[in-house]
Every structure is written in C-alpha cells, then in structure tokens.
Coordinates of all heavy atoms in Angstrom, one line a residue:
M4 N -7.3 -19.7 18.9 CA -7.9 -20.4 17.8 C -7.6 -19.7 16.5 O -7.8 -18.5 16.3 CB -9.4 -20.5 18.0 CG -10.1 -21.3 16.9 SD -11.8 -21.6 17.3 CE -12.6 -20.9 15.9
A5 N -7.0 -20.4 15.5 CA -6.6 -19.8 14.2 C -7.8 -19.8 13.3 O -8.7 -20.6 13.3 CB -5.5 -20.7 13.6
R6 N -7.9 -18.8 12.5 CA -8.9 -18.6 11.5 C -8.7 -19.6 10.4 O -7.6 -19.8 9.9 CB -9.0 -17.2 10.9 CG -9.2 -16.1 11.9 CD -10.7 -15.8 11.9 NE -10.9 -14.7 12.9 CZ -12.1 -14.1 12.9 NH1 -13.0 -14.4 12.1 NH2 -12.3 -13.1 13.7
A7 N -9.8 -20.2 9.9 CA -9.6 -21.3 8.9 C -9.6 -20.7 7.4 O -9.0 -21.3 6.6 CB -10.8 -22.3 9.0
L8 N -10.4 -19.7 7.2 CA -10.4 -19.1 5.9 C -9.4 -17.9 5.7 O -9.3 -17.1 6.6 CB -11.8 -18.5 5.6 CG -13.0 -19.5 5.5 CD1 -14.3 -18.8 5.4 CD2 -12.8 -20.5 4.3
P9 N -8.7 -17.9 4.6 CA -7.8 -16.7 4.4 C -8.6 -15.4 4.2 O -9.7 -15.4 3.7 CB -7.1 -17.1 3.1 CG -8.0 -18.1 2.4 CD -8.7 -18.8 3.4
R10 N -8.0 -14.4 4.7 CA -8.6 -13.0 4.6 C -8.7 -12.6 3.1 O -7.6 -12.6 2.4 CB -7.9 -12.0 5.4 CG -8.5 -10.7 5.5 CD -7.7 -9.8 6.4 NE -7.7 -10.1 7.8 CZ -8.5 -9.7 8.7 NH1 -9.5 -8.9 8.3 NH2 -8.4 -10.0 9.9
P11 N -9.9 -12.3 2.6 CA -9.9 -11.9 1.2 C -9.6 -10.4 1.0 O -9.6 -9.7 1.9 CB -11.4 -12.1 0.8 CG -12.1 -11.9 2.1 CD -11.2 -12.4 3.2
P12 N -9.2 -10.1 -0.3 CA -9.0 -8.6 -0.5 C -10.3 -7.9 -0.4 O -11.4 -8.5 -0.5 CB -8.5 -8.6 -1.9 CG -8.9 -9.9 -2.6 CD -9.1 -10.9 -1.5
K13 N -10.3 -6.6 -0.2 CA -11.5 -5.7 -0.2 C -12.1 -5.6 -1.5 O -13.3 -5.2 -1.6 CB -11.1 -4.3 0.4 CG -10.5 -4.4 1.8 CD -11.6 -4.6 2.8 CE -10.9 -4.5 4.2 NZ -11.9 -4.6 5.3
E14 N -11.4 -5.8 -2.6 CA -12.0 -5.7 -3.9 C -11.5 -6.9 -4.7 O -10.3 -7.2 -4.8 CB -11.6 -4.4 -4.7 CG -12.2 -4.3 -6.0 CD -12.0 -2.9 -6.6 OE1 -12.7 -1.9 -6.1 OE2 -11.3 -2.7 -7.5
V15 N -12.4 -7.6 -5.3 CA -12.1 -8.9 -6.0 C -12.5 -8.7 -7.5 O -13.6 -8.4 -7.8 CB -12.8 -10.1 -5.4 CG1 -12.5 -11.4 -6.2 CG2 -12.5 -10.2 -3.9
D16 N -11.5 -9.0 -8.4 CA -11.8 -8.9 -9.8 C -12.2 -10.3 -10.3 O -11.5 -11.3 -10.1 CB -10.5 -8.5 -10.6 CG -10.7 -8.3 -12.1 OD1 -11.8 -8.6 -12.6 OD2 -9.8 -7.7 -12.7
L17 N -13.5 -10.4 -10.8 CA -14.1 -11.6 -11.2 C -13.8 -12.0 -12.6 O -14.3 -13.0 -13.1 CB -15.6 -11.6 -10.9 CG -16.0 -11.4 -9.5 CD1 -17.5 -11.3 -9.3 CD2 -15.5 -12.6 -8.6
H18 N -13.0 -11.2 -13.3 CA -12.7 -11.6 -14.7 C -11.7 -12.8 -14.6 O -10.7 -12.7 -13.9 CB -12.0 -10.4 -15.4 CG -12.9 -9.3 -15.6 ND1 -13.0 -8.2 -14.8 CD2 -13.8 -9.0 -16.6 CE1 -13.9 -7.3 -15.3 NE2 -14.4 -7.8 -16.4
A19 N -12.0 -13.8 -15.4 CA -11.2 -15.0 -15.3 C -9.8 -14.8 -15.6 O -8.9 -15.4 -14.9 CB -11.8 -16.0 -16.3
A20 N -9.4 -13.9 -16.5 CA -8.0 -13.6 -16.8 C -7.3 -13.1 -15.6 O -6.0 -13.2 -15.5 CB -7.9 -12.7 -18.0
A21 N -8.0 -12.5 -14.6 CA -7.3 -12.0 -13.4 C -6.9 -13.0 -12.4 O -6.0 -12.8 -11.6 CB -8.3 -11.0 -12.8
F22 N -7.5 -14.2 -12.5 CA -7.2 -15.2 -11.5 C -6.9 -16.6 -12.0 O -6.5 -17.5 -11.3 CB -8.2 -15.3 -10.4 CG -9.6 -15.7 -10.9 CD1 -10.0 -17.1 -10.8 CD2 -10.5 -14.8 -11.3 CE1 -11.2 -17.5 -11.3 CE2 -11.7 -15.2 -11.8 CZ -12.1 -16.5 -11.7
L23 N -7.1 -16.8 -13.3 CA -6.8 -18.1 -14.0 C -5.7 -18.0 -15.0 O -5.6 -17.0 -15.6 CB -8.1 -18.6 -14.7 CG -9.3 -19.1 -13.8 CD1 -10.4 -19.4 -14.8 CD2 -8.9 -20.3 -13.0
K24 N -5.0 -19.1 -15.1 CA -4.0 -19.2 -16.2 C -4.6 -20.0 -17.3 O -5.5 -20.8 -17.1 CB -2.7 -19.9 -15.7 CG -2.0 -19.2 -14.6 CD -0.7 -19.9 -14.2 CE -0.1 -19.1 -13.1 NZ 1.2 -19.7 -12.6
N25 N -4.2 -19.7 -18.5 CA -4.6 -20.4 -19.7 C -6.1 -20.4 -19.9 O -6.8 -21.4 -20.1 CB -4.2 -21.9 -19.7 CG -2.7 -22.0 -19.6 OD1 -1.9 -21.2 -20.2 ND2 -2.2 -23.0 -18.8
V26 N -6.7 -19.2 -19.8 CA -8.2 -19.0 -19.9 C -8.7 -19.5 -21.3 O -9.9 -19.9 -21.4 CB -8.7 -17.6 -19.7 CG1 -8.4 -17.2 -18.3 CG2 -8.0 -16.6 -20.6
D27 N -7.8 -19.6 -22.3 CA -8.3 -20.1 -23.6 C -8.6 -21.6 -23.6 O -9.2 -22.1 -24.5 CB -7.2 -19.7 -24.6 CG -5.8 -20.3 -24.3 OD1 -5.5 -20.3 -23.1 OD2 -5.1 -20.6 -25.2
R28 N -8.2 -22.3 -22.5 CA -8.5 -23.7 -22.4 C -9.9 -24.0 -21.8 O -10.3 -25.1 -21.8 CB -7.5 -24.4 -21.6 CG -6.1 -24.4 -22.2 CD -5.1 -25.2 -21.4 NE -3.8 -25.2 -22.1 CZ -2.8 -25.8 -21.6 NH1 -2.8 -26.4 -20.4 NH2 -1.6 -25.7 -22.3
Y29 N -10.6 -22.9 -21.4 CA -11.9 -23.1 -20.8 C -13.0 -22.7 -21.8 O -12.8 -21.8 -22.6 CB -12.0 -22.1 -19.6 CG -11.1 -22.5 -18.4 CD1 -9.8 -22.1 -18.4 CD2 -11.7 -23.2 -17.3 CE1 -9.0 -22.4 -17.3 CE2 -10.9 -23.5 -16.2 CZ -9.6 -23.1 -16.2 OH -8.8 -23.4 -15.1
E30 N -14.1 -23.3 -21.6 CA -15.3 -22.9 -22.3 C -15.9 -21.7 -21.6 O -15.7 -21.5 -20.4 CB -16.3 -24.1 -22.4 CG -15.9 -25.3 -23.1 CD -15.7 -25.0 -24.6 OE1 -16.5 -24.3 -25.2 OE2 -14.8 -25.6 -25.2
A31 N -16.8 -21.0 -22.2 CA -17.4 -19.8 -21.6 C -18.2 -20.1 -20.4 O -18.1 -19.4 -19.4 CB -18.3 -19.1 -22.6
D32 N -18.9 -21.2 -20.3 CA -19.7 -21.6 -19.2 C -18.8 -22.0 -18.0 O -19.1 -21.7 -16.8 CB -20.7 -22.7 -19.5 CG -20.1 -24.0 -20.0 OD1 -19.0 -23.9 -20.6 OD2 -20.7 -25.0 -19.8
E33 N -17.6 -22.6 -18.3 CA -16.6 -22.9 -17.3 C -16.0 -21.7 -16.7 O -15.8 -21.6 -15.4 CB -15.6 -23.8 -17.9 CG -16.1 -25.2 -18.3 CD -15.0 -26.0 -19.0 OE1 -14.2 -25.4 -19.9 OE2 -14.9 -27.2 -18.8
L34 N -15.7 -20.7 -17.5 CA -15.2 -19.4 -17.0 C -16.2 -18.7 -16.1 O -15.8 -18.2 -15.0 CB -14.8 -18.5 -18.1 CG -13.6 -19.0 -19.0 CD1 -13.5 -18.1 -20.2 CD2 -12.3 -19.0 -18.2
L35 N -17.4 -18.7 -16.4 CA -18.5 -18.1 -15.6 C -18.6 -18.9 -14.3 O -18.6 -18.3 -13.2 CB -19.8 -18.2 -16.3 CG -21.0 -17.6 -15.5 CD1 -20.8 -16.1 -15.2 CD2 -22.3 -17.7 -16.3
A36 N -18.5 -20.2 -14.3 CA -18.6 -21.0 -13.1 C -17.4 -20.7 -12.2 O -17.6 -20.6 -10.9 CB -18.7 -22.5 -13.4
E37 N -16.2 -20.6 -12.8 CA -15.0 -20.3 -12.0 C -15.2 -18.9 -11.3 O -14.8 -18.7 -10.1 CB -13.8 -20.3 -12.8 CG -13.4 -21.7 -13.3 CD -12.9 -22.6 -12.2 OE1 -12.4 -22.1 -11.2 OE2 -12.9 -23.8 -12.4
S38 N -15.7 -17.9 -12.0 CA -15.9 -16.6 -11.5 C -16.9 -16.6 -10.4 O -16.7 -15.9 -9.3 CB -16.3 -15.6 -12.6 OG -15.3 -15.4 -13.6
L39 N -18.0 -17.3 -10.5 CA -19.0 -17.4 -9.4 C -18.4 -18.1 -8.2 O -18.7 -17.7 -7.1 CB -20.2 -18.0 -9.9 CG -21.0 -17.2 -11.0 CD1 -22.2 -18.0 -11.4 CD2 -21.4 -15.9 -10.4
E40 N -17.6 -19.1 -8.4 CA -17.0 -19.8 -7.3 C -16.0 -18.9 -6.5 O -16.0 -18.8 -5.3 CB -16.2 -21.0 -7.8 CG -15.6 -21.8 -6.7 CD -16.6 -22.4 -5.7 OE1 -17.7 -22.6 -6.1 OE2 -16.2 -22.6 -4.5
L41 N -15.3 -18.0 -7.3 CA -14.4 -17.0 -6.6 C -15.3 -16.0 -5.8 O -14.9 -15.7 -4.7 CB -13.6 -16.3 -7.6 CG -12.7 -15.2 -7.1 CD1 -11.7 -15.8 -6.0 CD2 -11.9 -14.5 -8.2
L42 N -16.4 -15.6 -6.4 CA -17.3 -14.7 -5.7 C -17.8 -15.3 -4.4 O -17.7 -14.7 -3.3 CB -18.5 -14.3 -6.6 CG -19.6 -13.5 -5.8 CD1 -19.9 -12.3 -6.7 CD2 -20.8 -14.3 -5.5
R43 N -18.2 -16.6 -4.4 CA -18.7 -17.3 -3.2 C -17.6 -17.4 -2.2 O -17.9 -17.1 -1.0 CB -19.3 -18.6 -3.6 CG -20.6 -18.6 -4.4 CD -21.1 -20.0 -4.7 NE -22.0 -19.9 -5.8 CZ -21.7 -20.4 -7.0 NH1 -20.6 -21.0 -7.3 NH2 -22.6 -20.3 -8.0
E44 N -16.5 -17.9 -2.6 CA -15.3 -18.0 -1.7 C -15.0 -16.7 -1.0 O -14.8 -16.7 0.2 CB -14.1 -18.6 -2.4 CG -14.3 -20.1 -2.8 CD -13.1 -20.5 -3.7 OE1 -12.2 -19.7 -3.9 OE2 -13.1 -21.7 -4.1
S45 N -14.9 -15.7 -1.8 CA -14.5 -14.4 -1.3 C -15.6 -13.8 -0.4 O -15.2 -13.2 0.7 CB -14.2 -13.4 -2.4 OG -13.2 -13.9 -3.2
L46 N -16.8 -13.9 -0.8 CA -17.9 -13.4 0.0 C -18.0 -14.1 1.3 O -18.2 -13.5 2.4 CB -19.2 -13.3 -0.7 CG -20.4 -12.7 -0.1 CD1 -20.1 -11.3 0.4 CD2 -21.6 -12.7 -1.0
D47 N -18.0 -15.5 1.3 CA -18.0 -16.3 2.5 C -16.9 -15.9 3.4 O -17.1 -15.8 4.7 CB -18.0 -17.8 2.2 CG -19.3 -18.2 1.5 OD1 -20.3 -17.5 1.5 OD2 -19.3 -19.4 0.9
A48 N -15.7 -15.7 2.9 CA -14.6 -15.4 3.7 C -14.7 -14.0 4.3 O -14.4 -13.7 5.5 CB -13.3 -15.4 2.9
A49 N -15.3 -13.0 3.5 CA -15.5 -11.7 4.0 C -16.5 -11.7 5.2 O -16.4 -11.0 6.2 CB -16.0 -10.8 2.9
I50 N -17.6 -12.5 5.1 CA -18.5 -12.7 6.1 C -17.9 -13.3 7.4 O -18.0 -12.8 8.5 CB -19.7 -13.5 5.7 CG1 -20.5 -12.8 4.6 CG2 -20.6 -13.9 6.8 CD1 -21.5 -13.7 3.8
Y51 N -17.1 -14.3 7.1 CA -16.3 -15.0 8.2 C -15.4 -14.0 9.0 O -15.3 -14.0 10.2 CB -15.5 -16.1 7.6 CG -14.7 -16.9 8.6 CD1 -15.3 -17.9 9.3 CD2 -13.3 -16.6 8.8 CE1 -14.5 -18.7 10.2 CE2 -12.6 -17.4 9.6 CZ -13.2 -18.4 10.4 OH -12.4 -19.1 11.2
W52 N -14.7 -13.1 8.2 CA -13.8 -12.2 8.8 C -14.5 -10.9 9.3 O -13.8 -9.9 9.7 CB -12.7 -11.8 7.8 CG -11.7 -12.9 7.7 CD1 -11.6 -13.9 6.9 CD2 -10.5 -13.0 8.6 NE1 -10.5 -14.7 7.1 CE2 -9.8 -14.2 8.2 CE3 -10.1 -12.3 9.7 CZ2 -8.7 -14.6 8.8 CZ3 -8.9 -12.8 10.3 CH2 -8.2 -13.9 9.9
D53 N -15.8 -10.8 9.3 CA -16.6 -9.7 9.8 C -16.3 -8.4 9.0 O -16.3 -7.3 9.6 CB -16.3 -9.4 11.3 CG -16.8 -10.6 12.1 OD1 -17.8 -11.2 11.8 OD2 -16.1 -10.9 13.1
Y54 N -16.1 -8.5 7.7 CA -16.0 -7.3 6.9 C -17.4 -6.6 6.9 O -18.4 -7.3 7.0 CB -15.7 -7.7 5.4 CG -14.3 -8.0 5.1 CD1 -13.4 -8.5 6.1 CD2 -13.8 -7.9 3.8 CE1 -12.1 -8.8 5.8 CE2 -12.5 -8.3 3.5 CZ -11.7 -8.7 4.5 OH -10.4 -9.1 4.1
T55 N -17.4 -5.3 6.8 CA -18.6 -4.6 6.6 C -19.0 -4.5 5.1 O -20.2 -4.3 4.8 CB -18.6 -3.2 7.3 OG1 -17.5 -2.5 6.7 CG2 -18.4 -3.4 8.8
E56 N -18.0 -4.5 4.3 CA -18.2 -4.3 2.8 C -17.1 -5.0 2.0 O -16.0 -5.2 2.5 CB -18.1 -2.8 2.6 CG -18.3 -2.4 1.1 CD -18.2 -0.9 0.9 OE1 -19.1 -0.2 1.3 OE2 -17.1 -0.5 0.4
I57 N -17.5 -5.5 0.8 CA -16.5 -6.1 -0.1 C -17.0 -5.6 -1.5 O -18.2 -5.5 -1.7 CB -16.4 -7.6 0.0 CG1 -15.3 -8.1 -0.9 CG2 -17.7 -8.3 -0.3 CD1 -14.9 -9.6 -0.6
R58 N -16.1 -5.5 -2.4 CA -16.4 -5.0 -3.8 C -16.0 -6.1 -4.8 O -15.0 -6.7 -4.7 CB -15.7 -3.7 -4.1 CG -16.1 -2.6 -3.1 CD -15.1 -1.5 -3.1 NE -15.0 -0.7 -4.3 CZ -15.8 0.3 -4.6 NH1 -16.7 0.7 -3.7 NH2 -15.7 0.9 -5.8
F59 N -16.9 -6.3 -5.8 CA -16.6 -7.2 -6.9 C -16.6 -6.5 -8.2 O -17.6 -5.8 -8.5 CB -17.6 -8.4 -6.8 CG -17.5 -9.2 -5.6 CD1 -18.4 -9.0 -4.6 CD2 -16.6 -10.2 -5.5 CE1 -18.3 -9.8 -3.4 CE2 -16.5 -11.0 -4.4 CZ -17.3 -10.8 -3.3
V60 N -15.5 -6.7 -9.0 CA -15.4 -6.1 -10.3 C -16.0 -7.2 -11.3 O -15.5 -8.3 -11.4 CB -14.0 -5.8 -10.7 CG1 -13.9 -5.2 -12.1 CG2 -13.4 -4.9 -9.7
H61 N -17.1 -6.8 -12.0 CA -17.7 -7.7 -13.0 C -17.5 -7.2 -14.4 O -17.6 -7.9 -15.3 CB -19.2 -8.0 -12.7 CG -20.0 -6.7 -12.5 ND1 -20.2 -5.8 -13.5 CD2 -20.6 -6.2 -11.4 CE1 -21.0 -4.8 -13.1 NE2 -21.2 -5.0 -11.8
G62 N -17.2 -5.9 -14.5 CA -17.0 -5.3 -15.8 C -18.3 -5.1 -16.7 O -19.4 -5.2 -16.2
K63 N -18.0 -4.7 -17.9 CA -19.2 -4.4 -18.8 C -19.5 -5.6 -19.7 O -20.3 -6.4 -19.4 CB -18.8 -3.2 -19.7 CG -18.8 -1.9 -18.9 CD -18.5 -0.8 -19.8 CE -18.5 0.5 -19.1 NZ -17.4 1.4 -19.1
G64 N -18.7 -5.7 -20.8 CA -18.9 -6.9 -21.7 C -20.3 -7.0 -22.1 O -21.1 -6.0 -22.3
K65 N -20.8 -8.2 -22.2 CA -22.2 -8.5 -22.6 C -23.1 -8.5 -21.4 O -24.3 -8.6 -21.6 CB -22.3 -9.9 -23.3 CG -21.5 -9.9 -24.6 CD -21.6 -11.2 -25.3 CE -20.8 -11.2 -26.6 NZ -20.8 -12.6 -27.2
G66 N -22.6 -8.4 -20.2 CA -23.4 -8.4 -19.1 C -23.7 -9.7 -18.5 O -24.5 -9.8 -17.5
I67 N -23.2 -10.8 -19.0 CA -23.5 -12.1 -18.6 C -22.9 -12.3 -17.2 O -23.6 -12.8 -16.3 CB -22.9 -13.2 -19.5 CG1 -23.6 -13.1 -20.9 CG2 -23.0 -14.6 -19.0 CD1 -23.0 -13.8 -22.0
L68 N -21.7 -11.9 -16.9 CA -21.1 -12.1 -15.6 C -21.8 -11.2 -14.6 O -22.1 -11.6 -13.5 CB -19.6 -11.7 -15.6 CG -18.8 -11.8 -14.3 CD1 -19.0 -13.1 -13.7 CD2 -17.4 -11.4 -14.5
R69 N -22.1 -9.9 -15.0 CA -22.8 -9.0 -14.1 C -24.2 -9.6 -13.7 O -24.5 -9.6 -12.5 CB -23.0 -7.7 -14.8 CG -23.8 -6.7 -13.9 CD -24.0 -5.3 -14.6 NE -24.8 -5.5 -15.8 CZ -24.5 -5.1 -17.0 NH1 -23.3 -4.4 -17.1 NH2 -25.2 -5.2 -18.0
Q70 N -24.9 -10.1 -14.6 CA -26.2 -10.7 -14.3 C -26.1 -11.9 -13.4 O -26.8 -12.0 -12.4 CB -26.9 -11.2 -15.6 CG -28.3 -11.8 -15.4 CD -28.9 -12.3 -16.7 OE1 -28.4 -12.0 -17.8 NE2 -30.0 -13.0 -16.6
A71 N -25.1 -12.8 -13.6 CA -24.9 -13.9 -12.8 C -24.5 -13.5 -11.4 O -24.9 -14.1 -10.4 CB -23.8 -14.8 -13.4
V72 N -23.6 -12.5 -11.3 CA -23.2 -11.9 -10.0 C -24.4 -11.4 -9.2 O -24.6 -11.7 -8.0 CB -22.1 -10.8 -10.1 CG1 -21.9 -10.0 -8.9 CG2 -20.8 -11.5 -10.6
Y73 N -25.3 -10.6 -9.9 CA -26.4 -10.1 -9.2 C -27.4 -11.1 -8.7 O -28.0 -11.0 -7.7 CB -27.1 -9.0 -10.0 CG -26.4 -7.6 -9.9 CD1 -25.3 -7.3 -10.6 CD2 -27.0 -6.7 -9.1 CE1 -24.6 -6.1 -10.4 CE2 -26.4 -5.4 -8.9 CZ -25.2 -5.2 -9.6 OH -24.6 -3.9 -9.4
E74 N -27.6 -12.2 -9.5 CA -28.4 -13.3 -9.2 C -27.9 -14.0 -7.9 O -28.6 -14.4 -7.0 CB -28.6 -14.3 -10.3 CG -29.4 -13.8 -11.4 CD -29.4 -14.7 -12.7 OE1 -28.9 -15.8 -12.6 OE2 -30.0 -14.3 -13.7
E75 N -26.6 -14.2 -7.9 CA -25.9 -14.8 -6.7 C -26.1 -14.0 -5.5 O -26.4 -14.5 -4.4 CB -24.5 -15.1 -7.0 CG -23.8 -16.0 -6.0 CD -24.3 -17.4 -6.1 OE1 -24.8 -17.9 -7.1 OE2 -24.1 -18.1 -5.0
L76 N -25.9 -12.7 -5.6 CA -26.0 -11.8 -4.5 C -27.5 -11.7 -4.0 O -27.7 -11.5 -2.8 CB -25.5 -10.4 -4.9 CG -24.0 -10.3 -5.1 CD1 -23.6 -8.9 -5.6 CD2 -23.2 -10.7 -3.8
A77 N -28.4 -11.8 -4.9 CA -29.8 -11.8 -4.5 C -30.1 -13.0 -3.6 O -30.8 -12.9 -2.6 CB -30.7 -11.9 -5.7
Y78 N -29.5 -14.2 -3.9 CA -29.6 -15.4 -3.0 C -29.0 -15.1 -1.7 O -29.6 -15.4 -0.6 CB -29.0 -16.6 -3.7 CG -28.9 -17.8 -2.8 CD1 -30.0 -18.5 -2.6 CD2 -27.7 -18.1 -2.1 CE1 -30.0 -19.6 -1.7 CE2 -27.7 -19.2 -1.2 CZ -28.8 -19.9 -1.1 OH -28.8 -21.0 -0.2
Y79 N -27.8 -14.5 -1.6 CA -27.2 -14.2 -0.3 C -28.1 -13.2 0.5 O -28.2 -13.3 1.7 CB -25.8 -13.6 -0.6 CG -24.7 -14.6 -0.7 CD1 -24.4 -15.2 -1.9 CD2 -23.9 -14.9 0.4 CE1 -23.4 -16.1 -2.0 CE2 -22.9 -15.8 0.3 CZ -22.6 -16.4 -0.9 OH -21.6 -17.3 -1.0
K80 N -28.7 -12.2 -0.2 CA -29.5 -11.2 0.5 C -30.8 -11.9 1.0 O -31.2 -11.7 2.2 CB -29.9 -10.1 -0.4 CG -30.8 -9.1 0.3 CD -30.9 -7.8 -0.5 CE -31.8 -6.8 0.1 NZ -32.0 -6.8 1.5
Q81 N -31.4 -12.7 0.2 CA -32.6 -13.4 0.6 C -32.4 -14.3 1.8 O -33.2 -14.5 2.7 CB -33.2 -14.2 -0.6 CG -34.5 -14.9 -0.3 CD -35.0 -15.7 -1.5 OE1 -34.3 -15.9 -2.4 NE2 -36.2 -16.1 -1.4
S82 N -31.2 -15.0 1.9 CA -30.8 -15.9 3.0 C -30.4 -15.1 4.2 O -30.3 -15.7 5.3 CB -29.7 -16.8 2.6 OG -28.5 -16.1 2.4
G83 N -30.2 -13.8 4.1 CA -29.9 -13.0 5.3 C -28.4 -12.9 5.5 O -28.0 -12.3 6.5
A84 N -27.6 -13.4 4.6 CA -26.1 -13.4 4.8 C -25.5 -12.0 4.5 O -24.5 -11.7 5.1 CB -25.5 -14.4 3.9
I85 N -26.2 -11.2 3.7 CA -25.7 -9.8 3.4 C -26.8 -8.9 3.6 O -28.0 -9.3 3.6 CB -25.1 -9.7 2.0 CG1 -26.1 -9.9 0.9 CG2 -23.9 -10.6 1.8 CD1 -25.7 -9.6 -0.5
D86 N -26.5 -7.6 3.8 CA -27.5 -6.6 4.0 C -28.0 -6.1 2.7 O -29.2 -6.0 2.5 CB -26.9 -5.5 4.9 CG -27.9 -4.4 5.2 OD1 -29.1 -4.7 5.4 OD2 -27.5 -3.2 5.2
R87 N -27.1 -5.6 1.8 CA -27.6 -5.1 0.5 C -26.4 -5.1 -0.4 O -25.2 -5.3 -0.1 CB -28.2 -3.7 0.7 CG -27.2 -2.6 1.1 CD -27.9 -1.3 1.4 NE -26.9 -0.3 1.8 CZ -26.5 -0.2 3.1 NH1 -26.9 -1.0 4.0 NH2 -25.6 0.8 3.4
Y88 N -26.7 -4.8 -1.7 CA -25.7 -4.6 -2.7 C -26.2 -3.6 -3.7 O -27.4 -3.5 -3.9 CB -25.3 -6.0 -3.4 CG -26.5 -6.7 -4.0 CD1 -26.9 -6.6 -5.3 CD2 -27.4 -7.5 -3.2 CE1 -28.0 -7.2 -5.8 CE2 -28.5 -8.1 -3.7 CZ -28.8 -8.0 -5.0 OH -29.9 -8.6 -5.6
H89 N -25.2 -2.9 -4.4 CA -25.6 -1.9 -5.4 C -24.4 -1.6 -6.2 O -23.2 -1.9 -5.8 CB -26.1 -0.7 -4.7 CG -25.1 -0.1 -3.7 ND1 -24.1 0.8 -4.2 CD2 -24.9 -0.2 -2.4 CE1 -23.3 1.2 -3.2 NE2 -23.8 0.6 -2.1
P90 N -24.6 -1.1 -7.4 CA -23.5 -0.7 -8.3 C -22.7 0.4 -7.6 O -23.3 1.3 -6.8 CB -24.1 -0.1 -9.5 CG -25.5 -0.6 -9.5 CD -25.9 -0.8 -8.1
S91 N -21.4 0.4 -7.7 CA -20.6 1.5 -7.2 C -21.0 2.8 -7.8 O -21.2 2.9 -9.0 CB -19.1 1.2 -7.4 OG -18.3 2.3 -7.1
Y92 N -21.0 3.9 -7.0 CA -21.3 5.2 -7.5 C -20.2 5.7 -8.4 O -20.5 6.5 -9.3 CB -21.6 6.2 -6.4 CG -22.8 5.7 -5.5 CD1 -22.6 5.4 -4.2 CD2 -24.0 5.6 -6.1 CE1 -23.7 4.9 -3.4 CE2 -25.1 5.2 -5.3 CZ -24.9 4.8 -4.0 OH -26.0 4.4 -3.2
Q93 N -19.0 5.3 -8.2 CA -17.8 5.8 -9.0 C -17.6 4.9 -10.2 O -17.1 5.4 -11.2 CB -16.5 5.7 -8.1 CG -16.5 6.7 -7.0 CD -17.1 6.2 -5.7 OE1 -17.3 5.0 -5.6 NE2 -17.5 7.1 -4.9
N94 N -18.1 3.7 -10.2 CA -17.8 2.8 -11.3 C -18.9 1.7 -11.4 O -18.9 0.8 -10.6 CB -16.4 2.1 -11.1 CG -16.0 1.3 -12.3 OD1 -16.7 1.0 -13.2 ND2 -14.7 0.9 -12.3
E95 N -19.7 1.8 -12.5 CA -20.8 0.8 -12.6 C -20.3 -0.6 -12.9 O -21.1 -1.5 -12.9 CB -21.7 1.3 -13.8 CG -22.4 2.5 -13.5 CD -23.3 3.0 -14.6 OE1 -23.3 2.3 -15.7 OE2 -24.1 3.9 -14.4
D96 N -19.0 -0.8 -13.2 CA -18.4 -2.1 -13.5 C -18.2 -2.9 -12.2 O -17.7 -4.0 -12.2 CB -17.1 -2.0 -14.2 CG -17.3 -1.3 -15.6 OD1 -18.5 -1.2 -16.0 OD2 -16.3 -0.9 -16.2
V97 N -18.5 -2.2 -11.0 CA -18.2 -2.8 -9.7 C -19.5 -2.8 -8.9 O -20.3 -1.9 -9.0 CB -17.2 -1.9 -9.0 CG1 -16.9 -2.4 -7.6 CG2 -15.9 -1.8 -9.7
V98 N -19.7 -3.9 -8.2 CA -20.8 -4.0 -7.3 C -20.3 -4.0 -5.8 O -19.3 -4.6 -5.5 CB -21.7 -5.3 -7.5 CG1 -20.9 -6.6 -7.3 CG2 -22.9 -5.3 -6.6
V99 N -20.9 -3.2 -5.0 CA -20.5 -3.0 -3.6 C -21.5 -3.8 -2.8 O -22.7 -3.7 -2.9 CB -20.6 -1.5 -3.2 CG1 -20.3 -1.4 -1.7 CG2 -19.7 -0.7 -4.1
V100 N -21.0 -4.7 -2.0 CA -21.8 -5.6 -1.1 C -21.6 -5.2 0.3 O -20.5 -5.2 0.9 CB -21.4 -7.1 -1.3 CG1 -22.2 -8.0 -0.4 CG2 -21.5 -7.5 -2.7
S101 N -22.7 -4.7 1.0 CA -22.7 -4.4 2.4 C -23.1 -5.6 3.2 O -24.2 -6.2 3.0 CB -23.7 -3.3 2.7 OG -23.3 -2.1 2.0
I102 N -22.2 -6.1 4.0 CA -22.4 -7.3 4.8 C -23.1 -7.0 6.1 O -24.1 -7.7 6.4 CB -21.1 -8.0 5.0 CG1 -20.5 -8.4 3.6 CG2 -21.2 -9.3 5.8 CD1 -19.1 -8.9 3.6
G103 N -22.5 -6.1 6.9 CA -23.1 -5.9 8.2 C -24.2 -4.9 8.2 O -24.4 -4.1 7.2
L104 N -25.0 -4.9 9.2 CA -26.1 -4.0 9.3 C -25.7 -2.7 9.9 O -24.7 -2.5 10.5 CB -27.2 -4.6 10.2 CG -27.9 -5.8 9.6 CD1 -28.8 -6.4 10.6 CD2 -28.6 -5.6 8.3

C-alpha cells in the first residue's frame, strides 16, 4: 500500500517568502493563512509518517506568526495529536513539536 501524503521535511520554514512566489500580491492575513495551512499540512504528514519530532521556523518579527503557530499547536495538543511543543533551545525563532510519546 502506497503512502498518500508526501513525507515532509524535518524543519519547515513558515515564512511566506520561503514557499510562495509573488508574496507582494497577498494581503497580510492571506500570508498568515497560507503559513498556517503549510503548518497543518506538514504536521499532519509528520503524524502520518510517524515522525517523533518536527520543527517549524516562525521567526521574530512582530510575533504575529509565532502567536498563531502556538495557538494552532495548542489545538493539536488538546486534541491529543501531539505530545508537546516548545521553543528550540538553540533558536527561539523555531518551535519544536514532539509528536510521539
């Protein structure tokens, strides 16, 4: 049986410029929505592929993306889909998501 979801990278950059072309054509709320969609797709695929951990780069900036990422991860944790998440000890611009127990 073939796997349906592509295997995601171990670290995903959520900055829109890293995965979208022509970012200047998007409004700020659209860029945030695209970044959150990438987070969901990557995290769902990591869960599907039985990853124990995945990292998401949210950066510094004004903290809008970081806040949205943490809110989304709180939902995943509350639903039991992930074990925990925390800022990387080496880089606060990255959140480490532990999937398996």
